[in-house]
């Protein structure tokens, strides 16, 4: 087993562990997870929980004929969320805090910062944050879609150093262990490439290990930002005994860089791109070699209908070299592109500053 050490972890627990019968909460697989969380906190470590299960927990409370409709599922989530929270709270002798998110919360800079500050304050006051997608209000275009990726986003906003994804199998295998008796567990992954996605059930694969694809997506988001990620069997209590002793009992995804700043994480992975800006050679050199801001004088083309404060890709010779938050909207940038910054006010009638994208609002790709 590989050594694994951490100070702040996000632990993701799925519906198959919360509600194994798919219609009510159970503590069958939660007792050893709760014990691990409690013992970790006593050691001075910080834990954030991402918990599925609200729809499954409320399934028996809402009448439906065949398969439940969206509104019926939302009603199930509304009832089941309280039951799921109560189920967790009964396992601890400290406060649990509920945080319900949508994808839109993570894409909005103000709300993202608010989430970060709330998590920090809860941890400071020794409460256990329990995060779930807000299934009672989220529609498809506002949903993260799965709690594996929600857990990854939570790890990013919380500036965690570790993501632990609890599954119903031991980790990532070289074949589907449910149908292939010779399948072998892969204890460590240092590079997430197409071959790893194929093992996870990606396009063109007939292996498919039940929900593993989104777990690999989550792992990639985290390791690209310096966050080690583990996929472990949440049904096996010995797994958490190993974790408590600093050993990885499943598949460990090693980060390929040190932890980025929270702002870079947000810019890189969460903020939606609304347009693109093409720049010249001088601007490209200033960004890559000097760590400078992007000035209007270096812009040669503006594409998209974006607003001030929205994100765009910065393009040089058809390659995205950076991503950043614009100070001016698309129309105004079109008017001042190629101009010296001193001419901004004369051209627009106002000035928000001399940069198109400030260096603090830009991340290199």
């Amino acid at each position: 087993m590989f050594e694994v050490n951490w100070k702040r972890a996000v632990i993701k627990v799925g519906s198959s562990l919360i509600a194994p019968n798919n219609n009510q909460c159970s503590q069958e697989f939660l007792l050893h997870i709760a014990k691990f969380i409690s013992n970790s906190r006593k050691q001075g470590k910080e834990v954030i929980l991402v918990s599925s299960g609200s729809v499954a927990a409320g399934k028996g409370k809402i009448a439906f004929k065949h398969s439940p409709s969206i509104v019926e599922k939302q009603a199930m989530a509304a009832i089941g969320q309280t039951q799921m929270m109560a189920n967790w709270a009964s396992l601890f002798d400290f406060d649990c805090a509920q945080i319900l998110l949508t994808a839109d919360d993570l894409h909005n800079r103000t709300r993202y910062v608010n989430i970060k500050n709330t998590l920090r304050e809860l941890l400071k006051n020794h409460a256990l944050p329990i995060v779930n997608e807000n299934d009672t209000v989220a529609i498809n275009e506002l949903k993260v879609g799965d709690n594996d990726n929600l857990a990854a986003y939570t790890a990013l906003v919380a500036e965690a150093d570790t993501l632990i994804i609890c599954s119903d199998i031991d980790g990532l295998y070289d074949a589907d262990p449910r149908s292939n008796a010779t399948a072998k567990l892969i204890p460590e992954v240092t590079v997430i490439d197409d071959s790893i996605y194929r093992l996870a059930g990606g396009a063109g694969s007939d292996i498919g290990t039940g929900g593993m694809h989104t777990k690999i997506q989550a792992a990639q988001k985290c390791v690209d930002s310096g966050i080690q990620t583990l996929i472990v069997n949440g049904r096996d209590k010995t797994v958490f005994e190993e974790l408590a002793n600093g050993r990885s009992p499943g598949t460990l995804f090693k980060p390929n860089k040190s932890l980025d700043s929270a702002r870079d994480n947000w810019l890189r992975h969460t903020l939606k791109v609304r347009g693109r800006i093409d720049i010249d050679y001088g601007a490209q050199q200033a960004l890559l070699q000097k760590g400078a801001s992007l000035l209007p004088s270096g812009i040669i083309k503006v594409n998209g209908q974006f607003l001030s404060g929205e994100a765009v890709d910065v393009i040089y010779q058809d390659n995205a070299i950076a991503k950043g938050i614009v100070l001016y909207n698309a129309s105004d940038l079109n008017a001042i592109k190629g101009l010296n910054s001193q001419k901004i006010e004369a051209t627009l009638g106002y000035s928000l500053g001399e940069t198109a994208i400030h260096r603090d609002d830009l991340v290199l790709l």
Side-chain angles (χ1 to χ4, degrees):
M1 292 185 183
F2 291 94
E3 182 178 337
V4 54
N5 297 301
W6 57 278
K7 294 181 178 179
R8 178 181 294 175
V10 171
I11 301 176
K12 184 265 179 179
V13 181
S15 297
S16 65
L17 302 176
I18 302 289
N21 296 321
N22 200 33
N23 62 5
Q24 61 182 354
C25 287
S26 168
Q27 295 186 350
E28 179 182 359
F29 300 119
L30 304 188
L31 291 170
H32 51 269
I33 299 175
K35 181 180 178 181
F36 172 73
I37 291 173
S38 295
N39 290 339
S40 297
R41 286 165 51 98
K42 290 176 182 177
Q43 295 170 3
K45 297 178 180 180
E46 295 175 327
V47 177
I48 298 165
L49 189 61
V50 174
S51 177
S52 306
S54 62
V55 174
K59 195 171 184 179
K61 307 297 182 179
I62 298 295
F64 62 95
K65 293 182 179 179
H66 301 292
S67 59
S69 64
I70 292 176
V71 68
E72 287 168 342
K73 286 183 178 179
Q74 290 175 325
M76 292 172 188
I79 294 175
Q81 182 66 28
T82 61
Q83 297 183 346
M84 186 262 284
M85 285 296 299
N87 195 40
W88 277 116
S90 69
L91 297 172
F92 302 113
D93 59 358
F94 44 80
D95 291 329
C96 295
Q98 174 179 264
I99 300 177
L100 297 175
L101 302 176
T102 66
D104 201 44
D105 296 323
L106 296 162
H107 296 150
N108 180 282
R109 178 62 189 172
T110 300
R111 276 178 274 174
Y112 183 94
V113 171
N114 288 339
I115 295 165
K116 175 185 173 182
N117 292 339
T118 299
L119 288 170
R120 181 191 293 119
E121 196 66 20
L122 288 170
L123 293 173
K124 176 183 174 182
N125 286 276
H126 309 294
L128 174 66
I130 301 180
V131 179
N132 193 9
E133 184 143 36
N134 194 349
D135 291 317
T136 61
V137 300
I139 53 179
N140 285 340
E141 59 265 30
L142 295 181
K143 289 175 71 69
V144 175
D146 65 89
N147 273 7
D148 293 323
N149 279 290
L150 178 63
Y153 287 129
T154 301
L156 293 173
V157 69
E159 299 179 351
D161 54 50
T162 302
L163 170 62
I164 302 172
I165 301 176
C166 298
S167 182
D168 54 2
I169 60 173
D170 293 339
L172 179 65
Y173 282 80
D174 60 3
D176 189 347
R178 296 183 175 98
S179 59
N180 189 333
T182 63
K184 294 181 180 179
L185 179 70
I186 301 173
E188 184 183 52
V189 175
T190 56
V191 177
I192 299 176
D193 54 19
D194 290 342
S195 67
I196 297 298
Y197 274 104
R198 284 194 293 271
L199 292 176
S205 170
D206 58 0
I207 296 173
T209 53
M212 191 59 67
H213 190 79
T214 57
K215 292 173 176 56
I216 303 302
Q217 289 179 330
Q220 183 158 35
K221 287 181 175 67
C222 285
V223 299
D224 283 350
S225 296
I227 301 171
Q228 65 180 347
T229 302
L230 298 94
I231 299 176
V232 301
N233 191 336
R235 300 189 175 204
D236 184 354
K237 68 178 183 179
T238 63
V239 160
F240 296 91
E241 294 170 359
E242 296 292 347
L243 284 171
N245 289 319
R247 294 188 291 268
S248 169
T251 300
L252 172 64
F253 295 82
K254 299 278 288 185
N256 51 31
K257 62 179 71 175
S258 61
L259 282 168
D260 292 336
S261 70
R263 190 172 183 84
D264 280 2
N265 291 340
W266 174 70
L267 280 168
R268 189 185 307 275
H269 294 296
T270 310
L271 197 61
K272 288 185 176 179
V273 171
R274 303 298 184 183
R276 61 179 274 177
I277 294 174
D278 288 72
I279 62 173
D280 61 21
Y281 176 76
Q284 182 252 13
Q285 287 293 295
L287 295 183
L288 297 185
Q289 303 299 327
K290 300 177 182 179
S293 299
L294 176 62
L295 303 178
S297 58
I299 299 174
I300 57 177
K301 189 176 181 181
V302 177
N303 288 284
Q305 297 298 319
F306 49 83
L307 303 175
S308 171
E310 293 188 322
V312 299
D313 281 330
V314 179
I315 308 295
Y316 176 69
Q317 294 186 344
D318 291 326
N319 293 313
I321 64 167
K323 180 180 177 182
I325 300 172
V326 290
L327 201 59
Y328 296 91
N329 64 36
S331 176
D332 288 346
L333 278 181
N334 258 315
I336 62 175
K337 68 178 186 290
L339 298 181
N340 186 288
S341 296
Q342 295 178 350
K343 297 182 179 180
I344 292 177
E345 188 167 1
T347 304
L348 299 179
Y350 76 98
S351 174
L352 296 175
E354 65 179 13
T355 65
I357 302 176
H358 193 276
R359 186 65 184 86
D360 291 345
D361 293 325
L362 184 142
V363 60
L364 300 178
L365 301 178

